[in-house]
Amino acid sequence: MRSEPGRRGPGRFGGQGLPLPDPGRIDPAVLSTLLARYGWVRRGGAAGRYARWTPPDDQEPDTSLLVPAHRAFDDAVELVEEAVAGLHRSGHPSAPQILAALAVPGDEIRWRRELPGTGEALSWPAEDGLRSAACAMLSAAAKAGRVRAAYFGSRLDDYASEFLEHVLVVAPGTGAGLLTAYTPAPEARPAATTLVRALEAVRDAVDYRRATGRLDAFDSAVRVGVSRELVESVRRLVLGAEGAEVTLAWSPEVGVPRGFGNRPLRLEFSPGDLPALEEAGQRLEHSEPAVEVLITGAVVRLKRPATGGPGTVRLRVLAGVDVDEIRVQLEEDDYLAAVRAHLDGVPVRLAGRLERKGGFRRLSQPRDLTIVRLDAAERDRLLKSLTGGRTPPATDPD
């Protein structure tokens, strides 16, 4: 839901009720960098001592921020505090974004979609589509920042979800078709730097596909972080829009990572890119091979059509692969062993091939299933982790 920009509650700002940044911890140079980044205009001031900033395009003529050149002046903290208060009172769309950048050191990522005939308002599906595409893009970057793959499926879902929990989204005042987020820096720099290189590679590969009709540039782009998930997120960003843009600017407090320039990344995509993105997504998904794995998992569900014969088992993965749960069809002897493990509250270990089909949630060619024996304390910890501390319900093996 979009909020109207304007005056916010005392001491907090933004849709999440974030606390205002501590003026004593703000570097005036960082504040000046952010004001310039968002188009605020420097109106002079004592050279080397102070600078006066006003909102872009002569908006809010009564708003004026006096920012010291550095912390050395006796009144530096007081002036920064007044500047923060001025931003808090301001109704300019950039004010909450500047405050967010000051509150949490992070790299700024902005998504913009041009939608036909919406003006300053968006339909609910369009707003949801923007957020969904941005979330998918960050998730893909987080996964690729840890390991490269043409197609992840459900692998590393927990890792990506944990990463997203630490991303700060600034919604109020960003305007229709706009979304701004901050990824923690320097902690999340692998995801941010991977996103920059991967998006540049996607842009180059799409241009190459449109010029030559060939998709092989996407194959080589996997090594810099391009995946089926990232390509799909770009496709979703563009779908239904007249154009889309992704911008990334490094945190002025943390600085520019090694090997990157200080200028913001800005990449544009258009509806004409959609055929290449769709073809590339299919190609990348089918190019990722099945993986030989050795998995340890707790049996959480058992099912077979009749007494006797093979059955299907669902395992909560404890070790061996970055997937929450997998399904595996077992022959009768192994199925009965899985039943015993479930009733005893102990995990099983088995080898097999983690299949691409179904998002790497299925194990084929299972073999060498063994029951992992645990002592009483380990068994109790396992049961509590699977049931949230509750007594597990009885399960009918058939």
Side-chain angles (χ1 to χ4, degrees):
M1 184 177 296
R2 185 173 298 280
S3 302
E4 291 298 326
R7 189 180 300 270
R8 288 161 284 275
R12 309 186 79 82
F13 72 98
Q16 300 89 348
L18 299 167
L20 285 171
D22 180 3
R25 299 174 62 88
I26 294 175
D27 185 342
V30 171
L31 175 55
S32 296
T33 298
L34 290 168
L35 290 168
R37 177 184 294 174
Y38 281 92
W40 286 59
V41 181
R42 182 170 180 168
R43 300 291 186 182
R49 295 181 61 83
Y50 308 96
R52 187 170 295 280
W53 296 85
T54 59
D57 304 321
D58 295 323
Q59 299 182 39
E60 294 190 353
D62 294 335
T63 299
S64 177
L65 309 179
L66 191 62
V67 181
H70 47 75
R71 291 184 173 129
F73 300 114
D74 293 339
D75 59 349
V77 174
E78 180 181 346
L79 290 174
V80 170
E81 184 175 9
E82 291 176 358
V84 168
L87 286 168
H88 180 55
R89 291 190 300 268
S90 173
H92 192 272
S94 65
Q97 299 176 66
I98 296 171
L99 289 172
L102 292 170
V104 180
D107 298 321
E108 177 188 282
I109 306 172
R110 303 182 74 187
W111 296 267
R112 180 176 64 85
R113 301 179 77 206
E114 296 178 3
L115 296 171
T118 57
E120 291 302 314
L122 286 180
S123 67
W124 190 286
E127 174 78 353
D128 186 62
L130 172 61
R131 289 177 171 271
S132 175
C135 180
M137 187 175 294
L138 290 176
S139 176
K143 291 182 178 184
R146 182 165 174 177
V147 63
R148 303 295 197 248
Y151 173 52
F152 288 100
S154 63
R155 293 178 295 175
L156 293 173
D157 277 354
D158 281 350
Y159 177 79
S161 296
E162 183 178 355
F163 167 79
L164 290 171
E165 287 291 331
H166 296 89
V167 175
L168 173 65
V169 178
V170 182
T174 56
L178 293 173
L179 182 65
T180 303
Y182 294 90
T183 58
E187 302 88 342
R189 274 281 165 86
T193 54
T194 297
L195 180 61
V196 169
R197 292 194 173 102
L199 284 176
E200 290 177 331
V202 169
R203 180 67 269 172
D204 290 343
V206 168
D207 291 340
Y208 185 73
R209 161 64 180 83
R210 295 184 68 173
T212 67
R214 297 171 57 183
L215 288 168
D216 48 300
F218 286 97
D219 300 335
S220 58
V222 172
R223 67 174 181 267
V224 297
V226 173
S227 64
R228 185 263 187 191
E229 286 79 3
L230 182 73
V231 168
E232 173 62 14
S233 73
V234 176
R235 188 191 73 83
R236 288 161 63 179
L237 186 67
V238 177
L239 192 64
E242 295 178 344
E245 179 183 272
V246 183
T247 306
L248 188 145
W250 304 114
S251 166
E253 182 171 340
V254 179
V256 179
R258 182 178 299 179
F260 290 84
N262 195 26
R263 63 178 179 82
L265 164 81
R266 180 173 284 104
L267 289 170
E268 297 180 350
F269 297 90
S270 70
D273 299 327
L274 287 173
L277 292 169
E278 292 168 357
E279 294 170 8
Q282 296 175 10
R283 181 185 180 98
L284 291 169
E285 179 174 344
H286 290 90
S287 67
E288 186 69 20
V291 184
E292 286 287 343
V293 293
L294 178 63
I295 291 177
T296 302
V299 180
V300 294
R301 188 170 182 180
L302 299 137
K303 184 179 181 180
R304 61 178 176 176
T307 302
T312 301
V313 172
R314 182 182 297 175
L315 301 176
R316 176 78 55 82
V317 176
L318 304 175
V321 65
D322 288 309
V323 178
D324 294 340
E325 292 186 351
I326 64 166
R327 287 174 295 164
V328 55
Q329 187 172 25
L330 300 173
E331 295 300 326
E332 183 174 14
D333 289 346
D334 284 342
Y335 181 83
L336 294 177
V339 171
R340 289 195 299 274
H342 177 69
L343 295 175
D344 292 343
V346 295
V348 297
R349 182 177 295 121
L350 72 165
R353 290 175 61 82
L354 196 64
E355 294 286 353
R356 180 186 69 245
K357 185 177 181 181
F360 293 98
R361 296 185 182 92
R362 183 176 302 171
L363 193 71
S364 68
Q365 302 176 25
R367 60 189 181 278
D368 303 330
L369 185 145
T370 58
I371 295 176
V372 180
R373 296 299 175 186
L374 303 175
D375 61 32
E378 290 174 326
R379 179 179 178 275
D380 187 57
R381 283 195 297 270
L382 173 62
L383 289 174
K384 287 182 178 179
S385 70
L386 295 176
T387 63
R390 300 183 303 273
T391 302
T395 301
D396 182 358
D398 289 323

